[in-house]
Amino acid sequence: MNVGIVDTTLRDGEQAAGLVFLPEEKIDIAKALNAAGVFAIEAGIPANGPEEREALTAINQLGLNSQVIGWCRAVKDDILAAVQCGCRFIHISAPVSDLHINCKLRKSRAWVLQKIGESVRYARSFGCRVLVGAEDASRADCEFFLRFAATAAQAGAERIRYADTVGLMEPLGTYAKMRRLVEHCPLPLEIHLHNDFGLALANSLAAVQAGTPFVSVTVNGIGERAGNVSLQHAVHTFSTFADCATGIEPEKLPTLAELVSAACMHGRPAPVSPPADCSQFAR
Ligand SMILES: CC(=O)SCCNC(=O)CCNC(=O)[C@H](O)C(C)(C)COP(=O)(O)OP(=O)(O)OC[C@H]1O[C@@H](n2cnc3c(N)ncnc32)[C@H](O)[C@@H]1OP(=O)(O)O
Ligand SMILES: CC(C)C(=O)C(=O)O
């Protein structure tokens, strides 16, 4: 079996606390990911601002073999910004758990379905290939996840990301969940895992053993909170324990690891926002 590696070092990786890559670092990392043979590079969030858009535009202009993906919310302006950066692959993400839908967005399931359908069609109207993301899927009602996938598929999406946004999955549960979804989901699945319990790699292996065709990773496992599945670990683990090819050249991985480590150490301070008032969410 082959597994497609979707690297999100430049998106979720950069959501690591305090980390802001320089545009030239992003370009070098994208080139190195492409040279290593990753299937797809999630290269940034156009809505983040002009510097992000410049870097994304420059990466798109490199003409890499890897799919170069712009990350968007289910918001038309985000999608238009991605198109203007030259993205031919657009990821559109929306939450699917009731907790996120009700408490974070203050919307309804019907709103999420309507937005994802509309947004996918909008991105397709520019001739882009569209991937969708189901945020907080591991806390969502599985039937709703499947309705979300069906809506996205009907609108023209070609892959769906199942996100363990808060990192609460464990290997046996991941295997069972992904076995069921691989059978019933109308779109090829990608799994995106966080490492809060130190189980992201084990969960990714379980997902691959259950037949999940795409896995989201970051170089050195960097990312929000405890980070994501490490690219290097994934490549070796999938080939050793699941007999899976990733198309990645292992000898290119040390250079990539050093490049990202150096970029993480450059000491550029991230902008600091004042703490949010979260008292309304207190239990
Ligand atoms: C779990 C994850 O890792 S998600 C990954 C996304 N990355 C990040 O969040 C990185 C940090 N975030 C950011 O930099 C910013 O939030 C940005 C650039 C993405 C967006 O910034 P802003 O436009 O200022 O937006 P903000 O986050 O306040 O959200 C504003 C609106 O987007 C809506 N929204 C948020 N997420 C989504 C979504 N996935 N789909 C549709 N609408 C959404 C909100 O409901 C809100 O709508 P409203 O204005 O009608 O109330
Ligand atoms: C945007 C999504 C995929 C994410 O990073 C998460 O839910 O963890």
Side-chain angles (χ1 to χ4, degrees):
M1 174 179 166
N2 292 333
V3 173
I5 295 292
V6 180
D7 183 278
T8 182
T9 306
L10 299 177
R11 200 276 302 165
D12 202 319
E14 204 189 29
Q15 286 174 221
L19 178 59
V20 182
F21 292 125
L22 298 168
E24 54 272 28
E25 289 168 336
K26 290 194 175 190
I27 294 164
D28 288 347
I29 292 168
K31 283 182 185 163
L33 287 166
N34 178 69
V38 307
F39 176 76
I41 300 170
E42 193 163 67
I45 305 178
N48 272 358
E51 190 173 292
E52 182 89 339
R53 289 194 282 276
E54 274 167 39
L56 193 50
T57 304
I59 293 169
N60 275 314
Q61 286 170 348
L62 295 170
L64 304 178
N65 290 324
S66 310
Q67 294 185 353
V68 174
I69 303 169
W71 189 97
C72 299
R73 296 168 294 174
V75 169
K76 284 192 171 173
D77 282 351
D78 285 24
I79 295 164
L80 188 58
V83 170
Q84 287 166 347
C85 292
C87 292
R88 290 185 45 251
F89 294 88
I90 296 190
H91 178 101
I92 304 175
S93 183
V96 291
S97 68
D98 290 332
L99 194 65
H100 271 210
I101 294 171
N102 300 330
C103 300
K104 189 175 89 159
L105 294 187
R106 301 186 182 282
K107 301 284 196 259
S108 62
R109 287 184 178 191
W111 183 90
V112 167
L113 293 181
Q114 188 195 326
K115 282 287 160 194
I116 205 69
E118 251 172 48
S119 307
V120 172
R121 280 190 291 276
Y122 185 61
R124 294 284 297 145
S125 75
F126 295 100
C128 294
R129 291 174 62 181
V130 181
L131 310 320
V132 291
E135 205 179 308
D136 207 23
S138 54
R139 289 193 293 181
D141 169 12
C142 207
E143 297 314 314
F144 183 66
F145 171 83
L146 289 171
R147 278 180 64 201
F148 178 86
T151 306
Q154 269 165 14
E158 60 182 79
R159 182 161 82 231
I160 186 162
R161 168 180 285 171
Y162 182 97
D164 181 23
T165 298
V166 296
L168 52 71
M169 295 181 86
E170 45 74 35
L172 293 180
T174 303
Y175 183 85
K177 177 64 71 74
M178 298 318 286
R179 266 304 270 247
R180 172 158 186 254
L181 290 179
V182 164
E183 208 176 308
H184 292 102
C185 187
L187 291 172
L189 283 150
E190 171 192 328
I191 193 159
H192 173 90
L193 296 152
H194 280 276
N195 203 27
D196 299 68
F197 283 105
L199 291 172
L201 177 68
N203 290 338
S204 69
L205 176 62
V208 165
Q209 288 168 329
T212 308
F214 297 94
V215 176
S216 168
V217 302
T218 59
V219 176
N220 301 341
I222 62 169
E224 186 141 339
R225 306 186 312 281
N228 299 98
V229 177
S230 133
L231 167 64
Q232 303 94 303
H233 287 163
V235 168
H236 293 297
T237 301
F238 300 164
S239 65
T240 305
F241 297 109
D243 200 15
C244 270
T246 54
I248 304 237
E249 296 181 40
E251 65 277 13
K252 301 268 174 62
L253 293 174
T255 313
L256 199 43
E258 280 163 26
L259 188 64
V260 172
S261 293
C264 289
M265 296 293 284
H266 69 217
R268 175 180 166 173
V272 177
S273 325
D277 175 11
C278 297
S279 54
Q280 58 182 321
F281 298 115
R283 284 174 189 271

